[in-house]
């Protein structure tokens, strides 16, 4: 664990497993007369995913504002468990292990029973759930136990309904039982309406949030990280942060990398993410192209801010996205972005201003745009500054937290007035 002293700014941050978390925030003043909320957050696991990281940020900041937060996760362990322990946020578990949804789906019944027990014991003002299946379980448990406010969050396009047909009716039931459904992009808003035919009045758009200071603090690690990774001073680093899943587009990226390296031998590609079963296939593709010396598979890493500031360009080759945390984090680190034109990517990246948006499944155009930015460091620097400012103006963690808090308080107030 590494401590960063920011006493002059009256803030202290903890670098826990490579992630900076605000442990104490003395300059945040609690709003006088504000009702202290009891909030139970529910999620599938405590792994390092987009929804999990956003939930962690939300819990951390709400706790610093004096609200009482607890977390219920279906699976027992995960990298973020230590973070919640550091925040002194109680974590309850449903008893599932990785793979149980396939091997032992009956354990969901036990997990639902445990969730109901926690709700009955804690009597939260709000139950807020993330991701498919979990939203169904939480909405059902919350409504059955008369929780005043049940919120579920849709974090991506509904392609999971195509992969797992049972999730479509469960999503619709969760929508119906929820008082409000949050979405993190206009693309997800439109998709939810089109697929689930939900009443638009139930939807609330709250963009993901990023803390830019985490990346500013990581800047000092740039040279150290590059040296650790064996990157030479003149080499250009392209980083791709995404778990190794087919729809994340790594195969397209590798084809594009081959074309980029032909034109720019100094280009190095870092692929960061957990192997979800396709890494060996991707490594064969890299070997077949003869670019193994220029492409590194780093696996799952917990020092994302440091890896980003050590890079020169961030690429997201996904075939589908809801609203990408990685794009926001890349912009916060001052990097230009090359991303596919899918989901909410165009709501974050300004095409031709802070990055390039390219068609999915098109390695040729992707390679062209990567080369364009690597060959023009002045443009890259300028676009990186635009992206960094955009994050501060539109996608700050403070804005994300305040929008959630406003949703909780206003919906609860409306509910109480309606009952009076």
């Amino acid at each position: 664990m590494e401590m960063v002293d920011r006493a002059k700014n009256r803030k202290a941050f903890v670098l826990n497993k490579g992630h900076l978390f605000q442990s104490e925030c003395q300059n945040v003043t609690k709003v006088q007369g504000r009702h202290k909320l009891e909030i139970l957050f529910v999620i599938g696991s405590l792994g390092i995913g987009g929804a999990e990281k956003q939930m962690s940020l939300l819990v951390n900041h709400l706790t610093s504002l004096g609200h009482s937060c607890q977390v219920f996760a279906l699976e027992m362990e995960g990298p973020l468990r230590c973070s919640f322990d550091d925040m002194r946020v109680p974590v309850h578990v449903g008893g599932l292990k990785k793979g149980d949804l396939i091997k032992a789906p009956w354990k969901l019944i036990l997990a639902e029973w445990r969730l109901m027990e926690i709700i009955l014991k804690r009597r939260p003002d709000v139950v807020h759930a993330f991701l498919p299946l979990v939203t169904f379980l939480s909405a059902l448990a919350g409504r059955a136990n008369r929780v005043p406010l049940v919120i579920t969050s849709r974090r991506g396009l509904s392609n999971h309904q195509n992969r797992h047909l049972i999730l479509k009716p469960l999503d619709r039931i969760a929508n119906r039982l929820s008082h409000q459904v949050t979405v993190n992009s206009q693309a997800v808003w439109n998709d939810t309406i089109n697929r689930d035919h939900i009443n638009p009045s139930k939807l609330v758009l709250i963009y993901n949030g990023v803390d830019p200071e985490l990346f500013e603090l990581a800047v000092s690690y740039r040279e150290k990280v590059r040296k650790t990774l064996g990157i030479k001073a003149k080499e250009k680093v392209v980083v791709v942060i995404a778990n190794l899943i087919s729809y994340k587009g790594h195969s397209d990226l590798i084809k594009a990398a081959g074309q980029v390296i032909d034109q720019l031998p100094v280009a190095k590609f870092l692929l960061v993410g957990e192997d979800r079963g396709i890494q060996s296939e991707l490594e064969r593709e890299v070997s077949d192209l003869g670019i193994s010396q220029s492409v590194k598979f780093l696996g799952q890493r917990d020092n994302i801010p440091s890896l980003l500031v050590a890079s020169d360009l961030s690429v997201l080759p996904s075939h589908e996205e809801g609203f990408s945390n990685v794009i926001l984090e890349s912009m916060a680190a001052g990097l230009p972005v090359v991303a596919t034109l899918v989901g909410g990517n165009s709501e974050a990246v300004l095409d031709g201003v802070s990055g390039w948006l390219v068609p999915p499944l098109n390695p040729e155009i992707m390679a062209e745009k990567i080369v364009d930015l690597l060959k023009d460091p002045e443009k890259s620097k300028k676009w990186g500054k635009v992206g960094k400012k955009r994050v501060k103006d539109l996608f700050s963690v403070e804005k994300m937290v305040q929008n959630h808090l406003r949703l909780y308080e206003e919906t609860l107030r409306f509910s109480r007035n309606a009952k009076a």
Side-chain angles (χ1 to χ4, degrees):
M1 184 172 290
E2 189 174 32
M3 299 300 295
V4 181
D5 187 5
R6 305 283 291 182
K8 291 183 180 180
N9 293 329
R10 304 180 68 190
K11 289 184 179 180
F13 290 84
V14 177
L15 181 56
N16 178 25
K17 293 187 175 182
H19 286 279
L20 288 159
F21 290 96
Q22 186 175 339
S23 61
E24 184 179 0
C25 188
Q26 297 177 353
N27 68 335
V28 175
T29 304
K30 298 177 184 178
V31 178
Q32 295 299 318
R34 170 171 275 172
H35 175 63
K36 176 183 176 181
L37 296 175
E38 291 274 351
I39 309 169
L40 177 65
F41 291 92
V42 189
I43 201 159
S45 76
L46 299 176
I48 303 177
E52 291 84 357
K53 288 166 71 175
Q54 286 295 301
M55 186 188 73
S56 177
L57 283 170
L58 183 56
V59 169
N60 186 27
H61 283 71
L62 288 174
T63 301
S64 73
L65 290 169
H67 300 285
S68 177
C69 298
Q70 300 202 24
V71 173
F72 183 95
L74 294 184
E75 293 183 11
M76 296 180 181
E77 297 297 336
L80 290 180
R81 178 64 185 265
C82 292
S83 302
F84 289 119
D85 289 343
D86 287 344
M87 291 182 232
R88 298 180 181 177
V89 170
V91 176
H92 312 278
V93 294
L96 275 72
K97 296 180 181 178
K98 193 171 184 177
D100 277 350
L101 287 178
I102 297 175
K103 299 176 183 177
W106 57 267
K107 289 186 178 181
L108 285 172
I109 299 174
L110 179 59
E112 178 75 344
W113 181 257
R114 289 177 174 173
L115 176 58
M116 287 195 177
E117 283 184 326
I118 295 299
I119 292 174
L120 280 171
K121 181 179 180 180
R122 298 298 307 179
R123 291 293 179 185
D125 300 300
V126 182
V127 167
H128 189 164
F130 297 80
L131 302 179
L133 182 59
V134 177
T135 53
F136 166 74
L137 297 174
S138 303
L140 185 62
R143 281 300 189 123
N145 290 285
R146 300 181 180 275
V147 173
L149 179 57
V150 175
I151 293 179
T152 54
S153 289
R154 297 290 283 270
R155 310 293 301 176
L157 304 183
S158 301
N159 296 308
H160 62 275
Q161 295 179 354
N162 300 332
R163 292 189 287 267
H164 308 284
L165 297 180
I166 187 61
L167 293 178
K168 186 177 184 69
L170 296 186
D171 281 350
R172 291 194 172 190
I173 293 171
N175 292 341
R176 182 168 297 182
L177 293 176
S178 303
H179 294 100
Q180 300 280 182
V181 177
T182 67
V183 295
N184 59 354
S185 71
Q186 188 64 51
V188 174
W189 175 299
N190 295 337
D191 183 70
T192 303
I193 290 175
N194 292 335
R195 285 180 181 262
D196 293 355
H197 307 292
I198 188 174
N199 185 338
S201 66
K202 267 198 173 184
L203 295 178
V204 179
L205 171 57
I206 301 178
Y207 283 115
N208 294 354
V210 174
D211 187 349
E213 189 161 357
L214 307 187
F215 300 88
E216 292 170 7
L217 292 172
V219 168
S220 61
Y221 294 95
R222 175 179 166 87
E223 296 307 322
K224 181 179 180 181
V225 173
R226 288 174 68 94
K227 184 177 180 180
T228 301
L229 294 172
I231 298 167
K232 298 176 182 178
K234 292 184 178 181
E235 290 178 332
K236 301 289 186 179
V237 177
V238 179
V239 66
V240 183
I241 301 175
N243 289 327
L244 305 188
I245 310 170
S246 295
Y247 67 79
K248 288 295 185 179
H250 291 87
S251 183
D252 304 329
L253 182 281
I254 289 169
K255 293 181 179 68
Q259 298 176 42
V260 172
I261 293 165
D262 283 343
Q263 299 179 61
L264 289 172
V266 294
K268 299 292 182 182
F269 288 78
L270 305 181
L271 276 58
V272 182
E274 181 184 24
D275 178 23
R276 298 288 180 85
I278 66 170
Q279 181 166 333
S280 58
E281 179 184 340
L282 295 175
E283 288 174 338
R284 280 195 297 272
E285 292 181 27
V286 169
S287 178
D288 290 344
L289 288 173
I291 56 175
S292 297
Q293 295 301 314
S294 300
V295 179
K296 293 187 177 184
F297 291 85
L298 300 185
Q300 186 178 70
R301 292 296 183 102
D302 48 22
N303 60 332
I304 298 303
S306 298
L307 287 171
L308 284 170
V309 300
S311 303
D312 301 288
L313 174 65
S314 177
V315 177
L316 186 66
S318 298
H319 302 161
E320 59 183 76
E321 284 291 336
F323 192 73
S324 171
N325 276 329
V326 168
I327 287 179
L328 296 187
E329 291 171 343
S330 301
M331 290 163 62
L335 294 183
V337 176
V338 174
T340 45
L341 184 55
V342 296
N345 288 355
S346 62
E347 297 170 52
V349 178
L350 295 178
D351 191 31
V353 178
S354 67
W356 287 119
L357 294 170
V358 301
L361 298 162
N362 196 318
E364 290 76 19
I365 296 180
M366 185 183 300
E368 175 189 326
K369 298 305 183 184
I370 292 173
V371 169
D372 172 71
L373 287 168
L374 292 184
K375 280 188 172 181
D376 193 340
E378 288 303 315
K379 179 196 285 185
S380 292
K381 186 176 181 180
K382 179 181 177 181
W383 286 15
K385 287 182 178 179
V386 172
K388 195 169 188 177
K389 184 178 186 303
R390 188 167 171 78
V391 166
K392 289 182 178 180
D393 291 345
L394 300 177
F395 307 115
S396 70
V397 66
E398 289 81 9
K399 189 181 291 292
M400 181 269 287
V401 172
Q402 288 303 319
N403 285 337
H404 276 97
L405 193 53
R406 187 180 302 113
L407 170 64
Y408 300 154
E409 293 179 334
E410 290 182 358
T411 309
L412 284 169
R413 188 180 306 117
F414 178 82
S415 177
R416 293 187 186 108
N417 292 338
K419 291 179 180 179

